[in-house]
Amino acid sequence: MAEGRNVLVRDTQNRRLGHLTFENAEWTGLLTALKASAR
């Protein structure tokens, strides 16, 4: 589960491009969906 208000995601190969910001609930929902689809 994500902690805090927002989750910041960036491409570590292209750090100069900045980051994407997701709300905690959005990020948790994405991870839950990915885990469910992997089963």
Side-chain angles (χ1 to χ4, degrees), residues 3 5 7-9 15 17 24 26 37 39:
E3 296 181 11
R5 295 182 79 169
V7 176
L8 305 178
V9 180
R15 294 176 188 215
L17 296 177
N24 183 315
E26 292 175 315
S37 69
R39 292 182 186 168

Side-chain angles (χ1 to χ4, degrees), residues 1-12 19-36:
M1 178 180 279
E3 296 181 11
R5 295 182 79 169
N6 294 312
V7 176
L8 305 178
V9 180
R10 69 175 176 192
D11 179 350
T12 58
H19 62 269
L20 300 174
T21 302
F22 296 93
E23 290 183 8
N24 183 315
E26 292 175 315
W27 186 252
T28 301
L30 172 65
L31 295 180
T32 300
L34 291 172
K35 288 178 185 178

